[in-house]
Amino acid sequence: MLEIKNLHARVAETGVEIIRGLNLTVQDGEVAAIMGPNGSGKSTLSYVLAGREDYEVTEGEILYNGQSILEMDPAERAASGIFLAFQYPMEIPGVATMEFLKVAMNAQRKARGEDPLSIPDLMKRVKHAAGELSMDLGMLKRPLNVGFSGGEKKRAEILQMKLLEPKLCVLDETDSGLDIDALKIVADGVNQLRSPDRSIVVITHYQRLLDYIVPDSVHVLYKGQVIKSGDKSLAYELEENGYAGIIEEAA
Ligand code: ADP
Ligand code: MG
């Protein structure tokens, strides 16, 4: 599904290199966790995957289903099934959440050669998915993310993910700002999406989320590189000993 080879990426404006020779492979159906201390480049990696224009890839390759995505703009990447749930979801004043979902879902359908959904069908799907995430349906009328609590924003991201049915999901610190009940609901939502033809990259700072979304692989990111990979036991090792040992080992 995803193969990242010797990726180097820098901030376009300043030329500061953040991703420095990163290698990562994620198989079809795999749930891969990316962990790492603050500032190691986790969010930057998610932005580079999504095609955010503030970053430049200077070397290396990102293959998605065997094809390079480096020349694709963010909309093309989204249409091809790549989805990013943001660490800090953006507030969009003036655009009701339901309206946003309608436009996004129909754009995905168009990209797949499908007809737009009828309004009743759309409402039914959105309400069903929102209900599964225990979201207050009143939120659907409010402008997207405006005044939402941290936890509500994260749920709104997962709602979008459920409705857009992406092939490659990248979740950036979806656990931050969630209390334990909300964490379980969000993790359930992600687990429902696990399927042999969908891959999920879970970026997290803490091992806690991985008790609920059990990963197939765990990768430690540090200074823009994957310095260690393992199975879920690596997450427990990190929880116990912190990153220092692994960083020293890699050095
Ligand atoms: P993480 O998500 O792992 O905490 P980030 O990817 O957010 O890390 O950031 C990695 C490093 O890159 C940090 O030191 C951050 O300050 C720096 N960085 C990210 N984006 C920019 C930018 N646009 N301009 C300058 N520095 C940036
Ligand atoms: Mg981050």
Side-chain angles (χ1 to χ4, degrees):
M1 180 74 72
L2 177 67
E3 198 175 358
I4 303 177
K5 295 190 220 169
N6 187 34
L7 187 70
H8 289 256
R10 62 185 189 189
V11 179
E13 204 183 343
T14 58
V16 176
E17 189 169 62
I18 313 284
I19 303 296
R20 303 184 181 107
L22 186 146
N23 294 293
L24 178 71
T25 300
V26 183
Q27 305 295 340
D28 292 10
E30 182 174 341
V31 175
I34 308 232
M35 302 184 74
N38 268 324
S40 54
K42 303 185 296 299
S43 292
T44 303
L45 173 64
S46 73
Y47 295 146
V48 171
L49 284 171
R52 185 165 162 175
E53 278 146 12
D54 310 61
Y55 300 92
E56 270 171 14
V57 171
T58 53
E59 211 182 317
E61 195 48 274
I62 304 176
L63 302 177
Y64 168 59
N65 289 319
Q67 304 249 314
S68 173
I69 60 167
L70 292 179
E71 297 302 318
M72 291 163 73
D73 68 28
E76 289 171 321
R77 295 186 198 196
S80 75
I82 298 176
F83 179 89
L84 168 61
F86 289 103
Q87 180 171 8
Y88 302 108
M90 196 178 286
E91 299 188 357
I92 310 193
V95 179
T97 302
M98 182 60 101
E99 182 62 25
F100 176 85
L101 292 169
K102 182 179 108 183
V103 172
M105 285 166 76
N106 282 336
Q108 284 304 79
R109 292 179 68 84
K110 192 172 170 194
R112 293 195 295 250
E114 297 164 8
D115 288 334
L117 292 166
S118 70
I119 298 295
D121 192 7
L122 182 108
M123 302 273 280
K124 205 172 102 191
R125 289 180 194 217
V126 173
K127 285 182 177 169
H128 178 75
E132 283 184 335
L133 291 167
S134 302
M135 286 173 74
D136 171 14
L137 296 185
M139 278 170 63
L140 299 171
K141 293 187 191 146
R142 290 166 53 188
L144 183 65
N145 291 325
V146 178
F148 288 15
S149 71
E152 286 169 343
K153 285 181 181 172
K154 295 303 165 103
R155 283 190 220 205
E157 294 290 287
I158 301 302
L159 176 65
Q160 290 164 45
M161 186 168 100
K162 281 172 78 107
L163 291 167
L164 294 174
E165 301 175 328
K167 291 280 175 235
L168 173 63
C169 309
V170 182
L171 307 177
D172 191 5
E173 308 248 357
T174 296
D175 43 342
S176 67
L178 294 180
D179 60 37
I180 195 75
D181 292 329
L183 181 73
K184 284 182 190 162
I185 291 163
V186 163
D188 273 353
V190 174
N191 286 328
Q192 282 160 18
L193 285 173
R194 286 180 97 138
S195 111
D197 60 358
R198 177 177 291 128
S199 304
I200 305 178
V201 176
V202 181
I203 296 173
T204 183
H205 196 76
Y206 298 107
Q207 180 270 333
R208 185 180 73 153
L209 177 69
L210 306 180
D211 285 336
Y212 300 101
I213 303 172
V214 179
D216 300 302
S217 60
V218 174
H219 309 270
V220 179
L221 192 61
Y222 181 66
K223 292 193 173 170
Q225 284 189 334
V226 173
I227 59 166
K228 186 160 184 170
S229 297
D231 62 15
K232 65 179 185 216
S233 64
L234 179 56
Y236 292 105
E237 188 187 322
L238 285 168
E239 188 75 356
E240 207 141 291
N241 305 322
Y243 291 105
I246 285 171
I247 290 168
E248 221 167 276
E249 203 181 294

